[in-house]
Amino acid sequence: MDFEKAFDKVPHRCLVSELHSYEINSKIISWITDFLENRLYRVTVNGKFSTWHDVISGIPQGSILGPLLFIIYINDLPDYCNDLHTKIYIYADDTKLCRHIFNTADQDKLQNDILRLNDWANEWQLKLNVDKCCRMTYTESISNLCNTKYYIDNGNMHYELAHTDSVSDLGVRFDSKLSIMDHINDKVNKAYGILGIIKRNFIYLDINFFVLLYKAMVRPYLEYANSVWCPYQKGDIEIIEEVQKSATKLIISLKKLSYVERLKQLQLPTLKYRRLRGDMIEVFRIVHNYYDTEAAVKLNYKFLILSVQHEEICINCRNLCVTIAQENSHFVLEW
């Protein structure tokens, strides 16, 4: 579900009322009210200006306080979808409803939750953008339950939610089989595009300048959220690594060296190694409760004491077996 221009359409009056409902200190509310109000706008067309008008809605973007105010404003949305078997996930203005569908009763309950979410949006004056709202089914087999049509009410009109086979969730693309091939291809193509820009605009690159450009402009495409979509098939691993192989050839003085020698000269690890290291760090943080325990992934693990200095932790997540050396914080990961 996508709210139409969500940050721009939050009514100040409703937001202040929501702050009062949480019994926030009145002085803080007054300060926030001053932050939102006393703003004016006007429109210009062909050099002609309209009269000034008060800004009565919208949260100023680009500020630290803005996103927090929006989260407070939509914080009671999950209470409207209170079915125990329908999960609602919210990140800023991006909202998802999820439910296991076993029969037609489950379909009806999911449809009711969609309508309740729509009622909440209308009540709080945040209109749903029906063109960006869609539905997606994750299943191993096709059945009649997968062809159910869901809709949103808008006045006297019923808008059917479009069906999609892939969706981008916070920058990571999945398809209906939970395959990440589309995501890999998309990010690899973008990385190659940036490499092309670098190649066309820089005739000569020294090592330091190349490393700076590569780390800032190319590698982030290949590593964003890779603990979620980390590839396990050899072909996918090679496709991603090939980007770095091509990038390191942009330095003329290193072009004739092998890939391993080029990495040594540039002091860069392979992308596969960086993903492996990232997974190890992520597991360590989860096991040692570095994340909020209410939001972190729940892992089932057990401790087997091998010696006084070492503990082996077997974790049921990608069949990871992590060995932690307590004395020097050295990690060994086996697949």
Side-chain angles (χ1 to χ4, degrees):
M1 298 297 179
D2 183 82
F3 294 108
E4 186 178 283
K5 298 181 178 179
F7 280 80
D8 296 329
K9 291 191 174 182
V10 174
H12 295 166
R13 177 180 54 82
C14 296
L15 175 58
V16 172
S17 173
E18 190 79 354
L19 294 174
H20 281 291
S21 69
Y22 286 108
E23 299 183 353
I24 296 176
N25 184 283
S26 59
K27 291 183 178 180
I28 295 178
I29 294 178
S30 297
W31 177 71
I32 293 175
T33 303
D34 288 339
F35 173 71
L36 295 173
E37 295 181 348
N38 300 319
R39 297 174 182 266
L40 302 174
Y41 76 95
R42 65 177 179 178
V43 180
T44 177
V45 178
N46 295 329
K48 303 295 184 180
F49 294 93
S50 68
T51 57
W52 290 99
H53 294 274
D54 292 324
V55 177
I56 60 174
S57 65
I59 295 175
Q61 299 185 45
S63 64
I64 297 176
L65 185 59
L68 177 61
L69 292 176
F70 185 80
I71 291 173
I72 293 175
Y73 189 72
I74 66 171
N75 191 53
D76 62 342
L77 173 56
D79 297 335
Y80 275 69
C81 305
N82 53 9
D83 192 294
L84 293 177
H85 299 289
T86 299
K87 304 297 182 182
I88 183 168
Y89 300 96
I90 302 174
Y91 185 87
D93 61 340
D94 187 11
T95 304
K96 297 176 182 64
L97 288 173
C98 305
R99 186 185 181 94
H100 290 289
I101 303 298
F102 298 103
N103 47 50
T104 55
D106 288 328
Q107 295 173 334
D108 294 337
K109 291 178 180 178
L110 179 57
Q111 177 60 65
N112 289 335
D113 287 328
I114 294 174
L115 294 177
R116 288 177 64 83
L117 187 151
N118 189 44
D119 291 341
W120 179 93
N122 291 331
E123 180 180 346
W124 291 95
Q125 302 179 40
L126 287 180
K127 183 180 178 182
L128 289 174
N129 188 343
V130 294
D131 293 329
K132 291 186 178 181
C133 294
C134 61
R135 61 183 176 89
M136 188 171 178
T137 303
Y138 296 95
T139 179
E140 293 183 353
S141 60
I142 304 299
S143 68
N144 292 332
L145 294 175
C146 299
N147 299 322
T148 305
K149 297 180 180 180
Y150 299 94
Y151 62 90
I152 296 175
D153 280 335
N154 191 349
N156 296 325
M157 299 291 292
H158 287 313
Y159 290 95
E160 181 183 337
L161 295 179
H163 181 268
T164 182
D165 292 322
S166 65
V167 65
S168 181
D169 186 6
L170 302 181
V172 180
R173 180 165 291 279
F174 298 93
D175 66 12
S176 57
K177 300 299 181 182
L178 290 179
S179 169
I180 43 85
M181 271 305 301
D182 288 343
H183 176 80
I184 291 176
N185 291 332
D186 179 52
K187 298 307 177 182
V188 166
N189 290 335
K190 288 183 177 179
Y192 275 126
I194 298 298
L195 282 179
I197 293 174
I198 294 174
K199 186 176 181 180
R200 289 191 298 270
N201 287 274
F202 297 94
I203 298 176
Y204 174 78
L205 286 172
D206 64 19
I207 290 178
N208 293 331
F209 191 41
F210 165 79
V211 171
L212 182 64
L213 285 174
Y214 175 71
K215 288 183 176 180
M217 300 180 64
V218 180
R219 197 166 68 181
Y221 282 109
L222 306 173
E223 294 190 332
Y224 171 74
N226 60 15
S227 59
V228 175
W229 59 267
C230 182
Y232 62 92
Q233 294 182 334
K234 185 176 180 180
D236 295 340
I237 295 172
E238 291 178 350
I239 288 173
I240 299 171
E241 199 70 41
E242 192 63 36
V243 178
Q244 184 163 274
K245 290 181 180 179
S246 299
T248 55
K249 290 181 179 179
L250 293 179
I251 304 175
I252 297 176
S253 61
L254 304 181
K255 192 171 184 179
K256 294 183 179 180
L257 298 179
S258 67
Y259 179 49
V260 175
E261 289 298 324
R262 293 198 300 272
L263 292 182
K264 288 181 179 179
Q265 293 291 327
L266 297 169
Q267 297 183 355
L268 291 174
T270 63
L271 296 175
K272 180 181 179 180
Y273 169 80
R274 284 180 57 82
R275 290 193 299 272
L276 196 62
R277 177 178 177 273
D279 280 344
M280 294 162 62
I281 294 174
E282 201 69 17
V283 170
F284 177 83
R285 288 175 174 173
I286 294 173
V287 170
H288 290 79
N289 297 323
Y290 277 69
Y291 297 127
D292 183 353
T293 55
E294 295 297 325
V297 177
K298 302 296 187 298
L299 298 181
N300 298 319
Y301 59 90
K302 60 182 179 181
F303 292 91
L304 301 176
I305 305 300
L306 300 181
S307 67
V308 177
Q309 297 179 351
H310 295 78
E311 292 177 351
E312 185 182 76
I313 303 176
C314 297
I315 303 174
N316 298 326
C317 177
R318 292 190 197 157
N319 297 321
L320 296 182
C321 183
V322 184
T323 302
I324 302 178
Q326 293 179 329
E327 289 187 348
N328 56 14
S329 297
H330 175 70
F331 306 93
V332 178
L333 185 69
E334 297 177 356
W335 294 94

